[in-house]
Amino acid sequence: MSITILTEEDIRQCVSLDQDVINEVAVGFSKLAAQQVTLPPILRVDVLENHGEVDVKTAYIHGLDSFAIKIAAGFYDNHLLGLPTGSGMMVLVSAETGRPLAVLLDNGYLTEVRTGAAGAIAAQHLAPEQVNTAGVIGSGMQARFQMRALKLVRDFQRLAVYGIVPEEVERYASEMGAELGVEIIQVDNPQELVQMSEVVVTTTPSHDPILQADWLHPGLHLTCMGSDSEDKQETHTDVFTRVDRVACDSKTQCFRLGELHHALEAGVISPDDEIIELGELTSGQKSGRSSDNEITICDLTGVGIQDTQIARLAYHRTTEKGLGFNIEA
């Protein structure tokens, strides 16, 4: 049996955060909304003594000839070792035989790209049409990808950033201002950032909620993507009492892991409330923002359909170019 091995360098040559990637991820969400997906729960291993976790995500989209199984790690003290926080790999499996087709040694790159794409989809449907100032809480890799993604769907001119590590914020400001061609504003507290922005994305692994209800203002859109385990939380639950429209990537998953999990536990929302899944937006089953004054929020926890879509895209693009190498196993 021949298996294709693809390195991060191979993949980066062929896959970047662009409109094609956003469209592919959107198709996956639409399939999920149409109940054409087999989506098992996330498997997570916590490594508490080293401030880390390893997640396994997968999804089979009915009718496709392959699907991905992803192993993704986040070790939050890695910066002390001079290593990136995230790492990972994906295995592309034949849906016809169950045999592995390829191993994508992307070091977490594809996860960054597909997560950014989900943020773009959320903003496309829920953010105000005119965005002058965007805000990002956090200064790591997703703070970069989320703003790259937002720029593809909303042409903002200013970017406010708040983070707790000053040297990382300085680096972020220097790099992203030049890359996106926007004015960077470094703010001293998250309240100031929220109040000056039309779109805010939270990108932290915080266990202590940051966003507060009395900071919100008409026309604001929030995307919260850092709460991907039961103990993470970026948003105070009372925020959900102030928003007009709530969306998420997967209700089942967000009720277990995300910001919605905490709001549900606090009794602020119920499973019977009107909560829109991204797939209902991408497929046209439901509408997004309905007025300039609405306050909207989207909870992203990362769904296996994103991994299958991005892995298949990477595999086809790289092999068409003759990249990677094969081993017999």
Side-chain angles (χ1 to χ4, degrees), residues 122-264:
Q124 197 166 26
H125 291 275
L126 296 166
E129 286 295 329
Q130 300 299 319
V131 176
N132 180 54
T133 303
V136 63
I137 297 177
S139 55
M141 197 57 69
Q142 263 309 297
R144 289 165 166 78
F145 275 92
Q146 288 295 327
M147 291 302 104
R148 290 167 184 153
L150 180 61
K151 190 68 169 172
L152 291 172
V153 297
R154 295 293 187 271
D155 189 23
F156 57 91
Q157 290 76 51
R158 302 197 306 167
L159 174 55
V161 56
Y162 168 78
I164 61 173
V165 183
E167 58 269 25
E168 289 186 5
V169 174
E170 287 286 348
R171 187 180 310 114
Y172 181 93
S174 174
E175 294 173 0
M176 295 305 291
E179 178 181 334
L180 298 179
V182 299
E183 176 190 356
I184 300 288
I185 305 165
Q186 299 180 51
V187 299
D188 296 327
N189 62 77
Q191 180 178 359
E192 179 184 359
L193 180 144
V194 171
Q195 291 175 338
M196 73 190 309
S197 303
E198 289 90 44
V199 175
V200 173
V201 183
T202 59
T203 67
T204 76
S206 180
H207 293 75
D208 300 310
I210 302 165
L211 298 181
Q212 298 185 27
D214 59 4
W215 300 352
L216 308 188
H217 56 83
L220 176 66
H221 170 67
L222 302 168
T223 293
C224 304
M225 52 74 51
S227 179
D228 58 358
S229 64
E230 295 89 341
D231 56 344
K232 294 178 185 174
Q233 185 178 3
E234 297 182 295
T235 303
H236 284 271
T237 56
D238 61 355
V239 163
F240 288 90
T241 68
R242 287 285 312 279
V243 299
D244 301 300
R245 197 172 296 261
V246 180
C248 67
D249 49 15
S250 163
K251 284 190 285 189
T252 299
Q253 192 166 289
C254 289
F255 284 153
R256 186 166 69 90
L257 301 174
E259 302 296 337
L260 294 182
H261 152 71
H262 297 288
L264 186 66

Side-chain angles (χ1 to χ4, degrees), residues 11-52:
I11 293 165
R12 282 183 178 269
Q13 289 184 51
C14 300
V15 179
S16 60
L17 182 53
D18 56 23
Q19 193 60 54
D20 287 342
V21 166
I22 294 170
N23 292 343
E24 285 295 318
V25 173
V27 167
F29 280 120
S30 295
K31 294 290 188 180
L32 182 62
Q35 299 183 341
Q36 296 175 5
V37 174
T38 300
L39 181 68
I42 299 168
L43 169 65
R44 188 179 80 250
V45 179
D46 291 316
V47 188
L48 299 179
E49 61 268 34
N50 291 314
H51 198 196

Side-chain angles (χ1 to χ4, degrees), residues 255-329:
F255 284 153
R256 186 166 69 90
L257 301 174
E259 302 296 337
L260 294 182
H261 152 71
H262 297 288
L264 186 66
E265 195 172 64
V268 175
I269 63 170
S270 83
D272 297 326
D273 289 345
E274 175 68 10
I275 298 170
I276 303 168
E277 292 189 333
L278 285 187
E280 295 175 309
L281 297 174
T282 58
S283 63
Q285 294 179 35
K286 294 185 179 179
S287 59
R289 173 176 290 272
S290 63
S291 77
D292 291 338
N293 290 324
E294 270 192 321
I295 301 174
T296 56
I297 187 169
C298 186
D299 185 13
L300 299 179
T301 53
V303 185
I305 55 103
Q306 299 167 251
D307 301 307
T308 284
Q309 288 295 83
I310 196 73
R312 283 171 48 82
L313 178 71
Y315 175 70
H316 290 305
R317 284 188 179 179
T318 52
T319 53
E320 282 174 1
K321 289 193 172 184
L323 298 175
F325 62 92
N326 294 332
I327 61 171
E328 298 298 323

